[in-house]
Amino acid sequence: MSTAPGRLRIAIQKSGRLSERCLDLMREAGLRVVKGNNDLLYRVENYPIDILRVRDDDIPTFVADGVADLGIVGFNVLEEDPVAHAKGAKTVMPLGFGRCDLKIAAPETFVWSGAKSLEGLRIATTYPNVLKRYLQTNGVNAEIVEMRGAVEVAPRLKMAHAICDLVSTGATLEANGLKAFATVLNSEAMLIRSPKDLEPALQELAESVIARFKGVVASQGAKYVMMNAPKAALDAITAILPGAGAPTVTPLAGRDDAVAVHAVCQESVFWETLEKLKAAGASAILVLPIEKMM
Ligand code: PRT
Ligand code: ZN
């Protein structure tokens, strides 16, 4: 795969659960992605950036080798890839989407009393490396049955006693009469970067893309909260605001006893929060979405 020199390359999943969310992230970060006639390569028209669209399993190695400078991939894929591990693809940050858990599951009737319950059993998985580490950490000897997919049918086919597979809603386990007993790994999409050096201009561009992605992730779920508050209740009100740093406090025209309080809340602001603020004496409470944050 060849890309033009002097362009930053970001690898994302071509088609699958993470693809659309990756493109959304780019858009929200102000990168105008244009789909050319080359299916493997999208271009960003307002910056010298190419988007490589590949199988998610290839992303860690591409980034480790410097074929791509940045990549977005599930933490589960990254943890499973020993080559990329060895070559040092570096994680930059979690991106807050593509959440799922790698779990140990077995037929509902299975009697579970900790990881030791797996001793001597066969466990089917598409994540043999991660599973092997889990078994080693827990001092368990079990046989790993490596599969390419459809792991959830293995117990029914008597290929394995248990499975180790990704779970998000749990519907697949339920549909196959399986129950999750332990979590091996929590996963979400991660931004990773290559250990290879970039030319200075691209290095600068990479830093700015990372800073924008950070801004997008930080502003998700964050809210700008404004209210009027009696001066005497300021401490109580600050304590109620979820995930807020020091709020901005400004005088209100013609009022000596009350102030305006503005704060950025990093966590969800629920109706209960507003009710508590009101009970503490706040009035004219406004909760506004935040579009960008840096
Ligand atoms: O073609 P390519 O190799 O690129 O794609 P892929 O088929 O390997 O991956 P894809 O698109 O299925 O998933 C991409 C990434 O999404 C994964 O690596 C995870 O990081 C993340 N992700 C989040 C999931 C799930 N949730 C998920 N539920 N990946 C897979 N699943 C599967 C799981 O394997 C099981 O079969 O969904 C089923 C369980 O879902 P529930 O909702 O029934 O519990
Ligand atoms: Zn894959």
Side-chain angles (χ1 to χ4, degrees), residues 6-229:
R7 296 179 71 85
L8 189 75
R9 290 151 305 181
I10 308 178
I12 65 169
Q13 191 187 23
K14 184 174 180 193
S15 70
R17 288 164 196 266
L18 303 183
S19 316
E20 275 309 312
R21 297 298 302 270
C22 290
L23 291 172
D24 290 345
L25 174 66
M26 311 269 169
R27 266 178 232 120
E28 284 163 35
L31 312 185
R32 286 206 297 273
V33 179
V34 286
K35 311 182 178 187
N37 38 19
N38 183 347
D39 208 30
L40 284 179
L41 196 86
Y42 284 176
R43 283 191 156 238
V44 173
E45 62 179 7
N46 54 340
Y47 294 98
I49 300 175
D50 286 336
I51 310 291
L52 306 188
R53 302 172 66 243
V54 293
R55 289 278 314 269
D56 67 346
D57 314 75
D58 293 330
I59 293 174
T61 308
F62 279 6
V63 171
D65 287 344
V67 174
D69 308 306
L70 297 175
I72 298 175
V73 68
F75 185 59
N76 52 301
V77 175
L78 199 61
E79 285 291 284
E80 182 59 24
D81 195 327
V83 179
H85 249 301
K87 293 184 190 159
K90 293 188 236 164
T91 53
V92 180
M93 60 173 169
L95 295 169
F97 60 87
R99 287 211 173 89
C100 55
D101 299 312
L102 190 62
K103 293 196 177 203
I104 302 284
E108 280 152 4
T109 51
F110 191 85
V111 181
W112 178 263
S113 51
K116 284 277 178 204
S117 314
L118 298 168
E119 185 70 31
L121 300 187
R122 285 198 308 277
I123 311 166
T125 190
T126 52
Y127 293 88
N129 294 318
V130 178
L131 176 58
K132 194 170 156 200
R133 290 201 293 271
Y134 171 82
L135 294 173
Q136 269 167 0
T137 307
N138 287 284
V140 175
N141 286 303
E143 186 188 335
I144 297 174
V145 181
E146 194 174 335
M147 292 179 68
R148 302 297 294 270
V151 170
E152 63 276 4
V153 301
R156 218 180 326 135
L157 299 179
K158 305 276 180 245
M159 291 169 63
H161 303 94
I163 67 169
C164 172
D165 197 14
L166 292 179
V167 179
S168 55
T169 62
T172 304
L173 291 187
E174 201 180 321
N176 287 280
L178 301 171
K179 188 176 158 193
F181 290 100
T183 300
V184 173
L185 191 78
N186 305 111
S187 182
E188 67 184 280
M190 305 290 288
L191 180 66
I192 59 175
R193 72 184 298 173
S194 177
K196 302 261 149 78
D197 287 336
L198 283 168
E199 54 178 272
L202 288 187
Q203 180 67 29
E204 206 173 299
L205 182 59
E207 298 306 335
S208 117
V209 167
I210 291 170
R212 286 187 186 198
F213 285 174
K214 278 195 178 136
V216 172
V217 174
S219 68
Q220 276 160 1
K223 293 283 183 283
Y224 195 76
V225 183
M226 312 195 286
M227 75 202 79
N228 294 343

